[in-house]
Amino acid sequence: MRRRFVVKSLLTVTAITVMLTVIPIPQEAILDEMIANCLVAGLMAGVGVGLVLRMGSCDGGMDLIGMILIQTKGRFSVGKVNIAANCVLYGICLILFDIPTVIYSLIYSVICSLMCDRVHTQNINVQAMIVTKMQEIEPLEIEIMGRMNRGLTCWSAYGGYTGEEKTLLLTVISKYEIAQLRSIVHQFDPEAFVMINEDVSVDGYFIKKLT
């Protein structure tokens, strides 16, 4: 991981420690319904952890292990790693605690992990297809490959209705990079047609830009 990631992670862990110390813990559940408490807590915690990861940081623990596995193996996510670890942990808790406590804990953990993965957009792969009428597409290719460090595959195409010659460009990026790609494309061709297919499976060499 980059040095910037380590520094941000240290600041994040410090901030979390301070907040957990300062913010008072209520003696009783805020909501009467325990499942509602689990859902709200899971949503809030998942979004919070996801935002931390999205900003190129980490709050330590299993999240850090998840980031390392994503960087080295590719087919992982922080949420999936957390769910796997918590299933083992709660299996042990079945021996020590009552079943309802374990069930409520699992509900919280699953909601938190799912929300974390949805917010951590750097780990969501998308396929982008660009259809442009530009005659000289080399400047656009150079800009995408140079600024985004992503490869491109190009085809010659034509409009089914007009018969007009067009060029189709295909690339795979992270969901976090969609706005940047659209900005680059519309800078060169405001009328370009951009299609995004989310959560595609990628095999082979693909750079994970997590930080």
Side-chain angles (χ1 to χ4, degrees):
M1 296 295 182
R2 300 178 183 178
R3 181 180 299 178
R4 181 177 60 184
F5 174 81
V6 176
V7 173
K8 285 185 176 181
S9 298
L10 290 173
L11 293 173
T12 300
V13 172
T14 302
I16 291 174
T17 303
V18 171
M19 292 301 174
L20 289 175
T21 304
V22 173
I23 298 175
I25 300 174
Q27 297 299 318
E28 298 180 359
I30 297 175
L31 302 176
D32 295 331
E33 183 60 48
M34 187 56 67
I35 292 182
N37 282 307
C38 294
L39 294 176
V40 173
L43 288 170
M44 293 177 65
V47 171
V49 173
L51 288 174
V52 168
L53 297 173
R54 187 168 178 169
M55 295 298 108
S57 181
C58 181
D59 61 353
M62 293 306 302
D63 295 346
L64 178 59
I65 295 175
M67 291 286 283
I68 294 173
L69 288 174
I70 293 171
Q71 194 76 22
T72 55
K73 303 297 182 180
R75 293 190 176 186
F76 282 91
S77 72
V78 172
K80 291 177 182 177
V81 172
N82 277 324
I83 289 177
N86 286 329
C87 284
V88 176
L89 176 63
Y90 296 144
I92 298 172
C93 289
L94 278 173
I95 304 173
L96 305 175
F97 303 100
D98 57 295
I99 294 178
T101 300
V102 175
I103 293 175
Y104 290 138
S105 300
L106 277 172
I107 292 173
Y108 161 78
S109 178
V110 169
I111 296 298
C112 179
S113 299
L114 291 175
M115 288 304 302
C116 172
D117 282 349
R118 295 310 301 171
V119 178
H120 186 203
T121 51
Q122 288 99 319
N123 199 41
I124 301 176
N125 300 327
V126 301
Q127 174 184 280
M129 298 182 68
I130 306 159
V131 180
T132 176
K133 300 178 182 178
M134 292 175 58
Q135 298 298 319
E136 296 291 334
I137 64 166
E138 186 175 351
L140 176 59
E141 293 176 344
I142 293 174
E143 192 73 7
I144 293 175
M145 292 187 289
R147 283 177 55 185
M148 301 186 65
N149 192 25
R150 295 298 189 189
L152 284 171
T153 301
C154 304
W155 289 282
S156 296
Y158 64 90
Y161 180 73
T162 63
E164 188 177 4
E165 291 187 359
K166 300 182 181 181
T167 302
L168 191 151
L169 298 88
L170 174 67
T171 186
V172 177
I173 58 177
S174 72
K175 190 175 180 179
Y176 189 76
E177 298 172 298
I178 292 176
Q180 183 183 11
L181 177 66
R182 284 175 173 161
S183 176
I184 293 173
V185 172
H186 291 143
Q187 176 185 344
F188 287 88
D189 183 4
E191 298 180 353
F193 191 65
V194 181
M195 295 169 286
I196 303 295
N197 184 19
E198 187 176 320
D199 206 11
V200 296
S201 177
V202 180
D203 288 322
Y205 180 71
F206 180 71
I207 300 174
K208 287 281 189 178
K209 300 178 182 179
L210 300 176
T211 58

